[in-house]
Amino acid sequence: MTIEAGQPLAGQPTSARQAGARRPLGGLGRVALGRAGRAALLATSRTPVPDALEPLVRVHREHHPQADLALLARAYRLAEASHRGQKRKSGEPYITHPLAVTMILAQLGAGTTTLVASLLHDTVEDTDLTLAQVGEGFGPEVAYLVDGVTKLEKVDFGAAAEAETFRKMLVATGDDVRVMVIKLADRLHNMRTIRHMKPASQVRIAKVTRDVLIPLAERLGIQVLKAELEDIVFATLHPEEHARTRALLAGHEAEPDTLLDPFARTLARQLTEAGVAAEVSVRPRHCVSLHRVLLKRAAAPGRDGRPQCPQPADFGRLLVVVEENADCYAVLGELHTCWTPLPGEFKDFVAAPKFNLYQSLHTAVALSGGEVVEVLVRTRRMHQVAETGVVALGDPRQPGANGADQGGDELDRTDPARPGWLSRLLEWQQETPDPDAFWSALTADLAGDREITVVTESGETLQLRAGASCVDAAYLLGEETGHRCIGARVNGRLTALSTVLQDGDRLAVLTEQGDPAARPSGPAPDWLAHARTPAARLAIERWLADHPARLPVVRTGPSAGQPAPPAHRAAERGAAPVAVAGRPGAPVRLARCCTPVPPDEVSGFAIRGGAVAVHRTGCPAGERMRADGRGVLEIHWQPDGAPASGYRATLRAEALNRPRLLADLTAAISGEGVGIVSAEVEPPQELRVRHTYTVELPEPAVLAAVMRAMLRVSGVYDVSRPHAPEGGGAPRTPAADAGPAAGNGDDPPAPAVRPSWGIHGRSAAFTGHREILPVRARGSEG
């Protein structure tokens, strides 16, 4: 329900305008008649678009009346011809997928170039069409977008393919944010059709969507897409809770609204009397939003000590849309004058936008009967950006986008091509070449779905993730500032560096005085316990590794609590671990799926870029490469060779579940002088549990000692080296990687997960937050 209040908004037709106020035909001059005739002639001579594109064209023209429809038609014909004969899991022709993805983007208001790239987004990955052919036919801009969303081949990258694909997409997004917009629309359609996947695949895909893509949609401000993804993930991972919430929503919708609708009409009348032009509407909550409200109700007992029941106001909020920024505050004044505002419920995101471009005034007022109603106030432009985020800002490559023609600051963090959070993410990802560490750091960084704003005493504004400490703020000001930091002052009071900052804090970072050219004292190892941002952690770890005098050095990797690898210098290594017959000097990559270590029997295969992938004999990934016709290269271990980062091995321990098993196993591994790179712990099944560790060996000969030390831990009855570092599922079969019909094939290998374990390994309500374990799990159970 939408109610208009006050005078018509600027740009809207009055009743006279709505009537048309047309001149009689005889009143038109010859020039006007000639122009009308030529326009009609041109309209009849337009190239017709394929019937399948008609619904898409109608939606696209609503946002872009001058769109190049011939370009869209040409892209569709090429996509349809390329995908002809391919089927999806549902049995539908594959072309229905790029069409549906493109319709989602058209509904968001994306430009023609984005829609063209969306129609072609799977052609390079799943058909014989090459990127060069796309560039020749549609230009380098479309080719860049298609390349950005094209997944890397698992046969080349093994278990690292998913992490490296996301790294590639994020780097491409740093130059053009439309890459990630297309990826999100692609995932939304795959989630809409997820029912055609196997139950275990549904859970795996839903978890990756929850942990990575929903936070990315939130950070890009695309709320309409994020809300639907959340509801589908909720239904997939918590079908029972979702069904109960949907039943509550259906029951509320079936009954007349006796609270929000009458209040909306009352507020509209009040604004009309005050002369404020506005539209007042009731904005229903989507399923996950209502579920979160119900959880808060259940956690806060009423006066009788019992959990509170759902209230009518829980099912929606009022949305007031005005024309000018000043009108937002005028509406707020009327609300707070005529009704009682609730202390602490007012938030001004108009003067201080959120990190994802969101702007609105939030308040809550108490009605005469004691009911509390939430109200959002925003302008039309704010509403558009709140719904579609960076898509509403237009094409970042077109002149005048993002207000550049209005003299806006080109470094402003609302730049659609480089949001502030993305700039920071791209900075630290360059310092994390290891795909396992990158994936863990990425999911940990995205788990903080809220950012805070801190202002320095010199007036500089810092954007940090919620939960960040003074250590994180110091390194955000610069690595040298962080190394020289000796203390902090928050809101005028001296405080510890471990202090967690709050939104709106005023901060001063205190640094050591003296010669700026002198070497700083540097961070202490315990700073890692207080660092929450990947950039700060990486800078501290780099300092500790480069200054071994501060032993013992603790290198934690991307998350706190992770045992430390040995303090060796990468520069001391670097000789090729294997020699390849006939290919001297060829780059060598030890496969992460089977982690070969001397003296394992190994096979070599040529991959992209002239490199050689080394797999253990019997590795399923290597056997697939052999079956695909890739020739096996003759290789042998170099006696004095070693990778720059040391040999890595994946070890699996089968044990009877007991308290402190994780601590004892990690202590046994560390006691052999071996560092743990990543760990996975599966939920116990029938009192048995499986732990999988990826370790970094100072020397290959240490591997046997590590396995014996793990086997000596009480409760452990078997230690083995799996062919793939998944958490316990069987190695992926070729059918799992088959063609475009496999749906979302870009997710990492993950253990077979029982749906009953819910969203975080327990039957619980959806919260949208990740659970932090003592050792950050690298797989989908993390």
Side-chain angles (χ1 to χ4, degrees):
M1 181 192 74
T2 301
I3 304 169
E4 294 189 8
Q7 299 299 319
L9 298 177
Q12 288 188 326
T14 61
S15 58
R17 294 194 188 100
Q18 290 169 345
R22 297 183 218 132
R23 295 174 58 189
L25 182 60
L28 289 176
R30 291 183 179 180
V31 175
L33 285 172
R35 288 175 180 169
R38 285 193 297 272
L41 182 62
L42 289 173
T44 57
S45 63
R46 282 178 180 165
T47 303
V49 298
D51 292 342
L53 276 187
E54 284 292 347
L56 175 64
V57 167
R58 285 197 299 270
V59 174
H60 188 43
R61 273 182 170 168
E62 293 177 4
H63 300 277
H64 303 276
Q66 305 300 322
D68 185 353
L69 301 183
L71 188 66
L72 271 178
R74 190 154 53 87
Y76 168 76
R77 292 189 181 97
L78 178 60
E80 194 278 332
S82 300
H83 290 296
R84 192 171 297 160
Q86 294 179 343
K87 300 285 186 180
R88 287 176 57 80
K89 283 282 188 182
S90 60
E92 297 175 315
Y94 195 83
I95 189 61
T96 59
H97 171 64
L99 264 178
V101 173
T102 308
M103 176 60 84
I104 293 171
L105 293 169
Q107 291 169 339
L108 292 176
T112 305
T113 303
T114 308
L115 301 192
V116 170
S118 174
L119 285 169
L120 301 171
H121 79 274
D122 274 340
T123 54
V124 174
E125 180 181 331
D126 295 329
T127 74
D128 294 333
L129 194 68
T130 66
L131 197 61
Q133 291 172 323
V134 173
E136 290 173 4
F138 299 91
E141 194 173 349
V142 171
Y144 183 86
L145 297 177
V146 172
D147 182 45
V149 296
T150 299
K151 295 185 282 289
L152 300 175
E153 293 186 22
K154 289 187 177 180
V155 71
D156 288 341
F157 289 85
E162 201 275 346
E164 291 298 342
T165 294
F166 263 99
R167 188 201 299 269
K168 171 174 171 271
M169 287 183 185
L170 287 169
V171 171
T173 301
D175 184 61
D176 195 327
V177 77
R178 293 174 295 178
V179 170
M180 191 55 65
V181 174
I182 295 173
K183 174 61 181 177
L184 289 170
D186 171 66
R187 178 53 61 94
L188 176 57
H189 182 248
N190 281 325
M191 292 299 290
R192 286 175 176 176
T193 57
I194 196 172
R195 64 187 181 278
H196 299 293
M197 304 291 290
K198 295 179 181 178
S201 297
Q202 292 183 26
V203 173
R204 174 178 56 82
I205 294 170
K207 287 188 174 184
V208 175
T209 304
R210 174 202 65 191
D211 295 340
V212 178
L213 290 165
I214 287 178
L216 285 172
E218 166 74 14
R219 294 185 177 219
L220 292 175
I222 313 176
Q223 294 298 323
V224 291
L225 194 152
K226 169 184 174 273
E228 187 174 353
L229 281 176
E230 281 186 328
D231 284 352
I232 300 173
V233 167
F234 185 33
T236 303
L237 298 179
H238 293 282
E240 295 180 358
E241 288 92 337
H242 178 266
R244 286 197 294 267
T245 308
R246 282 298 311 165
L248 280 175
L249 274 174
H252 175 76
E253 293 169 356
E255 298 177 357
D257 190 344
T258 59
L259 175 68
L260 295 179
D261 281 349
F263 180 57
R265 288 190 288 268
T266 303
L267 177 58
R269 287 195 300 269
Q270 182 63 35
L271 295 177
T272 300
E273 294 174 3
V276 180
E279 290 181 358
V280 184
S281 60
V282 176
R283 187 175 178 83
R285 292 185 182 274
H286 65 99
C287 198
V288 168
S289 177
L290 174 62
H291 191 64
R292 288 171 178 154
V293 172
L294 298 180
L295 287 178
K296 292 179 182 178
R297 287 278 185 197
R303 295 179 179 178
D304 57 358
R306 297 180 180 178
Q308 300 183 51
C309 297
Q311 302 298 318
D314 294 339
F315 292 88
R317 297 179 287 186
L318 255 62
L319 174 64
V320 183
V321 179
V322 297
E323 190 64 26
E324 304 291 341
N325 285 20
D327 293 338
C328 293
Y329 296 97
V331 172
L332 184 70
E334 293 298 321
L335 278 166
H336 287 188
T337 300
C338 301
W339 293 274
T340 303
L342 266 65
E345 293 296 326
F346 171 63
K347 298 180 180 66
D348 188 348
F349 296 118
V350 173
K354 295 175 71 173
F355 68 94
N356 60 356
L357 316 179
Y358 177 86
Q359 287 183 285
S360 286
L361 296 179
H362 288 208
T363 190
V365 295
L367 307 187
S368 57
E371 303 93 346
V372 175
V373 177
E374 296 181 44
V375 184
L376 312 179
V377 187
R378 60 180 69 142
T379 67
R380 288 190 180 280
R381 177 60 176 167
M382 292 176 191
H383 181 61
Q384 184 183 14
V385 174
E387 294 292 288
T388 60
V390 295
V391 180
L393 301 182
D395 185 347
R397 296 187 180 227
Q398 293 298 324
N402 189 36
D405 51 350
Q406 283 83 28
D409 182 0
E410 63 180 13
L411 297 180
D412 187 83
R413 65 187 177 91
T414 60
D415 177 7
R418 182 63 69 89
W421 63 267
L422 180 57
S423 298
R424 296 192 296 275
L425 189 152
L426 292 175
E427 288 172 3
W428 66 251
Q429 72 85 22
Q430 295 174 358
E431 305 293 334
T432 316
D434 179 72
D436 295 337
F438 166 74
W439 183 254
S440 297
L442 175 65
T443 53
D445 187 66
L446 292 176
D449 61 352
R450 188 173 64 87
E451 285 201 1
I452 61 173
T453 301
V454 176
V455 182
T456 67
E457 292 185 356
S458 60
E460 186 175 357
T461 300
L462 305 179
Q463 299 292 328
L464 293 157
R465 59 177 292 183
S469 67
C470 296
V471 171
D472 299 298
Y475 279 95
L476 185 58
L477 289 169
E479 189 167 314
E480 189 67 17
T481 302
H483 290 341
R484 293 185 178 275
C485 178
I486 57 175
R489 186 167 55 239
V490 177
N491 299 326
R493 302 184 64 178
L494 291 175
T495 185
L497 287 174
S498 59
T499 300
V500 175
L501 297 169
Q502 304 297 324
D503 196 26
D505 278 348
R506 223 167 144 258
L507 170 73
V509 175
L510 309 179
T511 56
E512 58 189 5
Q513 303 299 315
D515 184 4
R519 193 184 84 172
S521 58
D526 58 1
W527 285 21
L528 287 168
H530 315 311
R532 296 291 181 269
T533 59
R537 302 190 65 81
L538 291 168
I540 295 171
E541 290 173 351
R542 212 163 33 240
W543 170 275
L544 296 176
D546 291 341
H547 298 80
R550 300 185 66 108
L551 293 177
V553 173
V554 179
R555 180 182 176 88
T556 64
S559 59
Q562 189 165 303
H568 62 268
R569 300 291 299 276
E572 297 174 1
R573 300 177 180 267
V578 299
V580 184
R583 297 197 178 197
V588 173
R589 177 183 295 141
L590 299 182
R592 294 292 169 83
C593 55
C594 55
T595 57
V597 175
D600 292 338
E601 294 184 7
V602 291
S603 302
F605 302 88
I607 59 175
R608 290 178 179 174
V612 175
V614 179
H615 291 262
R616 285 165 56 195
T617 300
C619 172
E623 294 301 319
R624 284 198 298 271
M625 297 174 79
R626 189 196 304 269
D628 289 341
R630 301 202 183 192
V632 180
L633 303 177
E634 181 181 350
I635 62 175
H636 61 270
W637 295 105
Q638 294 273 50
D640 300 324
S645 59
Y647 287 101
R648 289 193 175 184
T650 301
L651 303 176
R652 177 180 296 159
E654 306 276 353
L656 299 176
N657 191 35
R658 64 173 178 82
R660 292 192 55 80
L661 176 62
L662 176 65
D664 292 345
L665 273 170
T666 54
I669 296 171
S670 299
E672 299 295 326
V674 172
I676 300 176
V677 177
S678 63
E680 290 181 274
V681 179
E682 291 186 45
Q685 298 185 15
E686 300 177 352
L687 299 180
R688 293 178 297 174
V689 68
R690 177 182 291 172
H691 290 208
T692 304
Y693 299 89
T694 299
V695 299
E696 187 173 349
L697 306 171
E699 298 294 339
V702 178
L703 179 59
V706 174
M707 296 178 71
R708 285 194 296 269
M710 295 173 65
L711 198 56
R712 285 195 295 267
V713 173
S714 175
V716 177
Y717 58 86
D718 187 28
V719 177
S720 61
R721 293 179 60 197
H723 276 300
E726 86 283 13
R732 291 178 65 90
T733 63
D737 294 321
N744 273 10
D746 60 334
D747 295 327
V753 181
R754 298 188 300 272
S756 61
W757 279 94
I759 208 161
H760 281 304
R762 60 181 185 273
S763 182
F766 181 90
T767 63
H769 297 286
R770 292 176 59 84
E771 185 176 36
I772 306 301
L773 300 175
V775 177
R776 167 66 64 182
R778 182 182 54 78
S780 63
E781 285 291 330

